């Protein structure tokens, strides 16, 4: 069955590819010559790697295509002749390179789609994915020589494999943000494993044919001259050409499977970045990805051994197409090895100097190559954004001496020997006690601050397999280095934005400066929910959206709106306000927030409207986050006059003296808690907050402690009446603390002005 027939069996795939070919007006050509185009492009002996090579291949393809069309004109079908004339005119209007590259890319897309459709089917009933080899024969392992893995001839390749960075290079890609629509399609890894195994079995046909070719070649070398020698020689050439063609097709299929596995690694890395913002993360899925890497290594090793065996069958002096295939397979194996070196436990992304932290790296195919028998030592340095860009973009040669000069700081305990765990086949290096002692910062421009500056930990190692040196490296997710705790909020803004919206395949650490509100709302909800244990409601998110808007409303939110520009009529930014509320909730109101006792993000006008609509009337109250004070929570309630009173906000400093639940208990004007769930009914105050009250002792008589000379005291909160009727139009009333001494008490105008208060 041709590849296009497989595509046309899925309506969505057919529509997608038809739209792709129609971009250049090539759909009719693809339909008319489907089998010829597939066989012609997929059987090419040389894959173009340079501009000149691409032009030569494209021109030859264009010539062959025209010849094919001209030969079709001899058909008796007049309609077909007319179509051929139109197609000939079409290819004259398109450059040869443009025509060839569009068709070749289309075939790659078709292979990817067919593979995705197949792996989505049940393993037991899915058909072989390789469209050129449909037989299921036992897997042949006779041509896999472990001693030859990565033992590349110096005449074919340089003796050093340069590591490819997994985050920033297409040979070892990372992950992009789903909010930006760049996440690779999700497939079931079990089915991918099944397809790789099936491909290995299919490759057994090629191995059997190769074994027969080698035997016949040996017979020919050992036989004396015979009248059939020329015919036998020609037959061997044809057999070898057929095997080369099959190997090229198998390699093309390997690349498709490799891309599927890399996409799953991208998904895993994306989830790892999202976990930095608090999203759920299944770290255990890496074991299934490792299994796919191991199977791919077996596949490419079979292929490499087979190609080398085929090269020993020397029938002509030069075979550039076979030499090129060998280079491709070798490079594919190197890329597989390098892409398997990852950071599986990320360091803290807001990193404080002189503070201990941990991280670990993992090599997904170390046991396959025998590296675990002589485990290498992994080194770690810290790189600035500019240094990482230079390294990735220039593909800087890895050299231990040059890398030491690339560090932007001094890290203690920055080396670890890899260890192999036999029970779970994990080959990793753990850095359990690292500490950043010094950091070198870049010169700042404009409004840049140290909290905007991104670094990354750079892990690298070198090992030897069968006298062949392998050098690999990988970068951690971005980190921001701070020296003071007050730098933490803005640092988390940088990290939160990067984790949520960065494309993993990027120049380090380029990031968009604007996103849609739909994207940002997801990130904020994940962050707040993971920190406090309860997600935000739609009403909460609508309120946050309003806080981010400026005079000209837009569906896009910029980086400056998010954390640089002060909010209208405020001296602080949106992120400073949001972060302070998140910290206050986590430190002082966590249980009450999780229980739904706090309305939270709601503006004054809506709070007033909701309370006035409440059927319970006087004494109904709700708790909302202050939008005028950082890290503040306020109470709005219906007073005895049926109007809404807003109490001055309380902050963390207040809760260090008396917690929120006890403050609510002290205020007799609060009776019914207005529900945060619009479908629920008000709840009695003590029912809602009773479990959060602290235990209080009954007032004791006024007694002087003979030892300390002090009288014991307790704190209570009450609302001062200053003659105002409680309307929200005036100055808000202030809830104040009072101190009881035995059976007497006195009011306190401002508790915070009292110093040296030791007992409460």
């Amino acid at each position: 069955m041709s590849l296009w027939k497989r595509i046309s069996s899925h309506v969505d795939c057919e529509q997608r590819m038809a739209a792709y070919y129609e971009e250049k007006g090539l759909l009719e050509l693809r339909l008319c010559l489907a089998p010829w185009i597939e066989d012609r492009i997929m059987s090419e002996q040389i894959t173009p790697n340079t501009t000149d090579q691409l032009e030569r291949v494209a021109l030859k393809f264009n010539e062959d295509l025209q010849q094919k069309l001209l030969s079709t004109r001899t058909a008796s079908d007049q309609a077909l002749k007319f179509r051929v004339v139109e197609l000939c005119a079409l290819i004259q209007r398109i450059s040869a390179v443009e025509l060839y590259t569009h068709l070749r890319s289309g075939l790659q897309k078709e292979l990817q789609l067919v593979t995705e459709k197949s792996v989505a089917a049940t393993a037991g009933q899915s058909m072989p994915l390789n469209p050129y080899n449909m037989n299921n024969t036992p897997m042949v392992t006779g041509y896999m020589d472990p001693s030859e893995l990565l033992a590349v001839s110096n005449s074919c390749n340089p003796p050093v494999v340069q590591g490819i960075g997994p985050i920033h290079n297409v040979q070892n890609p990372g992950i992009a943000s789903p909010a930006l629509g760049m996440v690779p399609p999700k497939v079931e890894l079990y089915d991918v494993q099944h397809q790789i195994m099936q491909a290995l079995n299919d490759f057994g046909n090629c191995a059997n044919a190769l074994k027969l070719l080698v035997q016949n070649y040996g017979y020919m070398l050992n036989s004396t001259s015979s009248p059939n020698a020329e015919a036998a020689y020609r037959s061997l050439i044809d057999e070898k050409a057929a095997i080369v063609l099959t190997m090229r097709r198998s390699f093309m299929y390997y690349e498709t499977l490799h891309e599927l596995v890399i996409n799953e690694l991208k998904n895993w890395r994306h989830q790892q970045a999202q976990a930095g913002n608090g999203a759920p993360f299944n770290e255990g899925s890496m074991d299934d990805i490792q299994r796919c890497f191991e199977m791919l290594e077996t596949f490419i090793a079979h292929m490499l051994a087979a190609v080398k065996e085929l090269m020993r069958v020397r029938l002509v002096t030069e075979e550039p197409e076979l030499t090129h295939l060998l280079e491709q397979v070798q490079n594919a194996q190197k890329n597989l090895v390098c892409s398997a070196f990852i950071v599986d436990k990320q360091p803290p992304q807001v990193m404080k100097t002189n503070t201990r932290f941990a991280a670990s790296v993992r090599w997904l195919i170390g046991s396959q190559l025998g590296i675990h028998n002589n485990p290498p030592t992994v080194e770690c340095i810290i790189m600035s954004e500019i240094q990482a860009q230079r390294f990735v973009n220039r593909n800087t040669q890895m050299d231990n001496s040059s890398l030491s000069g690339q560090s932007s700081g001094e890290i203690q305990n920055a080396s670890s020997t890899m260890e192999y765990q036999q029970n779970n086949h994990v080959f990793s290096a753990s850095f359990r006690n690292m500490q950043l002692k010094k950091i070198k910062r870049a010169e700042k421009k404009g409004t840049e601050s140290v909290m905007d500056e991104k670094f990354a930990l750079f892990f690298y190692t070198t090992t030897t397999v069968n006298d062949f040196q392998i050098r690999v490296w990988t970068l951690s997710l971005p980190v921001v280095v701070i020296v003071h705790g007050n730098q933490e909020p803005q640092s988390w803004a940088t990290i939160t934005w990067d984790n949520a919206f960065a494309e993993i395949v990027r120049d380090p650490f380029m990031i968009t400066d604007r996103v849609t509100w739909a994207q940002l709302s997801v990130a904020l909800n994940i962050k707040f929910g993971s920190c406090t244990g309860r997600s935000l409601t739609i009403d909460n998110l609508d309120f946050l959206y309003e806080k981010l808007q400026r005079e000209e409303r837009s569906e896009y939110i910029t980086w400056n709106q998010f954390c640089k520009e002060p909010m209208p009529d405020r001296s602080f930014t949106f992120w400073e306000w949001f972060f302070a509320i998140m910290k206050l909730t986590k430190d002082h109101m966590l249980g009450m927030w999780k229980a739904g006792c706090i309305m939270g993000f709601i503006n004054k006008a809506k709070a007033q409207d909701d309370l006035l609509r409440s059927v319970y009337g006087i004494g109904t109250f709700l708790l909302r986050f202050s939008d005028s004070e950082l890290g503040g929570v306020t109470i709005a309630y219906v007073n005895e006059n049926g109007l809404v009173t807003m109490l001055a906000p309380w902050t963390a400093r207040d809760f260090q003296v008396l917690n929120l639940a006890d403050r609510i208990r002290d205020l007799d004007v609060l009776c019914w808690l207005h529900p945060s769930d619009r479908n629920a009914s008000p709840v009695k105050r003590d029912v809602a907050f009773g479990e959060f009250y602290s235990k209080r002792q009954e007032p004791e008589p006024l007694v002087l402690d003979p030892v300390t000379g002090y009288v014991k005291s307790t704190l209570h909160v009450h609302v001062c009446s200053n003659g105002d009727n409680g309307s929200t139009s005036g100055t808000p009333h202030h809830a104040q603390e009072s101190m009881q001494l035995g059976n007497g008490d006195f009011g306190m105008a401002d508790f915070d002005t009292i110093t040296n208060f030791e007992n409460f």
Side-chain angles (χ1 to χ4, degrees), residues 49 171 179 237 240 257 336 357 398 419 429 488 537 623 683:
N49 292 322
Q171 294 176 336
I237 289 179
K240 185 174 182 180
L257 292 172
L336 182 68
F357 65 92
M398 269 182 47
E419 299 176 351
E488 187 175 340
T537 65
L623 285 82
V683 182

Side-chain angles (χ1 to χ4, degrees), residues 339-529:
S339 63
F341 190 66
I342 63 166
V343 180
D344 65 330
K345 296 288 189 303
Q346 293 287 341
Q349 289 188 265
V350 174
M351 186 179 296
K352 191 175 182 180
T353 55
N354 298 306
T355 302
R356 299 186 188 281
F357 65 92
S360 68
V361 294
R362 181 170 172 177
W363 211 341
L364 302 180
I365 54 176
S367 60
Q368 292 292 103
L369 302 176
I371 301 173
H372 65 295
N373 295 322
N374 185 23
T377 296
V378 181
E379 304 288 340
C380 176
I381 61 174
I382 187 167
M383 277 188 174
S384 69
E385 183 172 343
I386 294 177
Q387 288 171 328
Q389 286 175 358
R390 289 172 180 169
F391 189 92
V392 172
N393 294 334
R394 299 178 184 178
N395 199 22
T396 307
Q397 292 295 313
M398 269 182 47
D399 179 84
N400 289 354
S401 59
S402 64
L403 280 177
S404 60
Q406 299 251 359
S407 181
S408 285
E410 177 186 334
I411 302 179
Q412 286 186 346
N413 305 315
S415 64
S416 176
T417 301
M418 300 197 74
E419 299 176 351
Y420 181 67
Q421 302 174 35
Q422 188 69 43
N423 59 329
N424 57 11
H425 306 287
V426 172
F427 188 46
S428 63
S430 297
F431 298 79
R432 300 182 179 89
N433 201 27
M434 287 198 287
Q435 187 173 146
L436 181 61
K437 302 298 292 183
K438 297 179 182 178
I439 191 68
K440 301 174 186 176
R441 299 201 181 270
E443 184 177 346
K444 303 297 179 291
K445 300 178 182 178
T447 60
E448 289 180 344
S449 70
V450 297
M451 291 85 80
D452 301 325
E453 187 176 8
K454 299 174 191 175
F455 296 86
L457 296 192
F458 180 91
F459 298 91
Y460 62 97
T461 189
T462 304
T463 190
T464 302
V465 178
N466 303 316
D467 300 324
F468 188 82
Q469 197 173 51
I470 305 174
R471 290 175 175 171
V472 292
W473 57 268
T474 186
L475 283 168
S476 73
L477 292 173
V479 302
V480 174
V481 178
I482 63 175
V483 295
H484 300 294
N486 59 9
Q487 296 173 323
E488 187 175 340
Q490 180 60 33
S491 299
W492 275 116
T494 301
I495 292 301
T496 299
W497 187 277
D498 195 279
N499 284 345
F501 310 122
E503 297 183 11
I504 298 300
V505 183
R506 58 172 173 167
D507 287 340
F509 294 102
M510 303 302 294
I511 183 71
T512 180
D513 63 352
R514 71 170 194 163
V515 295
T516 65
W517 165 244
Q519 296 165 347
L520 182 58
S521 65
V522 172
L524 292 176
N525 202 5
I526 288 174
K527 188 71 177 178
F528 200 92

Side-chain angles (χ1 to χ4, degrees), residues 180-214:
L180 299 179
M182 300 295 292
V183 176
K186 177 68 178 173
V187 296
E188 293 297 329
L189 285 172
Y190 173 81
D191 292 329
V192 175
Q193 294 170 8
H194 171 78
Q195 297 301 331
I196 298 174
M197 183 61 69
Q198 193 170 39
L200 279 165
N201 290 337
D202 291 343
F203 190 72
N205 287 336
C206 180
N208 288 333
L210 178 58
K211 182 183 292 186
L212 182 60
L213 175 68
V214 171

Side-chain angles (χ1 to χ4, degrees), residues 517 541-549 553-555:
W517 165 244
L541 293 170
D542 287 344
F543 175 66
L544 294 179
Y545 174 70
E546 294 298 325
K547 299 296 289 184
L548 281 162
Q549 290 303 308
R553 299 174 66 86
S554 170
E555 66 170 314

